[in-house]
Amino acid sequence: MKKSKEVFVIPFVGLKIGIHDFDFEIGKEFFEGVEDTLIEDASVHATLRLDKKETMMIAEFSVEGTVTSTCDRCNDLLEIPVENHQRIVYKFGMEDSEDENLIVLHPESYEMNVSAPIYELLVLSLPLKKIHDVGTCNEEVMLLYNQLIVNAGEPDDWDEDDEDWDDELDDDFDDEEDDDDDKPIDPRWNQLKKLN
């Protein structure tokens, strides 16, 4: 995350006790240097409200805008609106934290970089399926996709009400069980059977 890293570094030692507000504009340069990023570009306004207390800091992050990612279906670029917020508690200490909303800072720390929490918040804002609206995907890719997809447009041969299908399946399993009786049993399985 190249974009003047200093912009995202907050020297909290010089801050007074109380609430402090910070604003950040997130663009393409924010994602440069990030390996395997899901986001290509962005036009996002991020805010941080930092409540500094004697022994901890409570950070309220918010993001709102649009990000550019790739469509899961045609791999063309896709603009996605994002809006999200998260609260993170920063406290001082030496122990490790397993809580993703609690970050432990070394007692001698005097600044914190908030680019990672902002990036994570943007990624968490993405939908599970990033796809264009129906009919707006890359036409060439979709034609190729429809040619290569297995059984495209063919009716489903399997019928749940077909009793013969169940019998054939049972016969297949019976044959496999008979075959297994002829094979030597791995001694590890014998040991596991004894556990029951």
Side-chain angles (χ1 to χ4, degrees):
M1 293 174 203
K2 276 185 178 176
K3 182 184 179 182
S4 345
K5 292 184 179 177
E6 295 79 30
V7 172
F8 300 99
V9 175
I10 298 174
F12 53 79
V13 166
L15 298 177
K16 296 179 180 177
I17 301 295
I19 294 175
H20 305 272
D21 292 315
F22 300 89
D23 291 293
F24 309 96
E25 295 304 323
I26 311 295
K28 186 178 185 76
E29 58 277 3
F30 182 79
F31 306 98
E32 291 174 1
V34 179
E35 292 183 23
D36 302 321
T37 181
L38 298 172
I39 301 172
E40 303 283 331
D41 196 356
S43 177
V44 172
H45 180 72
T47 62
L48 165 61
R49 173 160 279 200
L50 187 66
D51 186 2
K52 184 178 180 186
K53 300 180 182 296
E54 289 289 344
T55 59
M56 69 173 68
M57 293 176 290
I58 300 170
E60 298 276 353
F61 292 93
S62 293
V63 293
E64 185 174 357
T66 58
V67 297
T68 304
S69 188
T70 52
C71 174
D72 292 337
R73 189 185 296 138
C74 72
N75 214 34
D76 272 6
L77 293 179
L78 167 70
E79 279 199 355
I80 303 168
V82 292
E83 185 177 354
N84 208 345
H85 63 275
Q86 180 181 21
R87 170 189 266 197
I88 297 178
V89 175
Y90 293 86
K91 74 170 201 170
F92 298 97
M94 299 296 288
E95 71 280 2
D96 291 330
S97 170
E98 294 181 12
D99 184 350
E100 60 189 29
N101 295 320
L102 173 65
I103 296 177
V104 180
L105 299 171
H106 190 277
E108 295 179 10
S109 299
Y110 59 91
E111 62 184 19
M112 62 183 182
N113 189 329
V114 296
S115 59
I118 291 173
Y119 175 76
E120 288 172 14
L121 192 55
L122 288 171
V123 171
L124 290 172
S125 303
L126 297 175
L128 291 176
K129 288 186 178 180
K130 306 184 305 294
I131 54 175
H132 286 106
D133 293 334
V134 176
T136 60
C137 275
N138 182 313
E139 290 180 21
E140 290 179 30
V141 173
M142 293 313 295
L143 281 171
L144 186 60
Y145 172 80
N146 288 326
Q147 288 172 2
L148 297 177
I149 191 169
V150 177
N151 300 329
E154 292 180 11
D156 192 357
D157 293 336
W158 178 57
D159 183 3
E160 288 183 15
D161 298 328
D162 187 359
E163 293 176 11
D164 294 337
W165 182 84
D166 288 338
D167 293 339
E168 289 172 20
L169 190 61
D170 289 341
D171 290 343
D172 289 342
F173 281 123
D174 290 343
D175 291 343
E176 287 178 16
E177 287 174 11
D178 292 342
D179 292 344
D180 287 345
D181 290 341
D182 299 336
K183 295 178 183 174
I185 297 175
D186 186 329
R188 292 173 290 186
W189 284 116
N190 283 332
Q191 294 299 321
L192 287 173
K193 286 180 182 178
K194 291 177 185 176
L195 294 176
N196 289 339

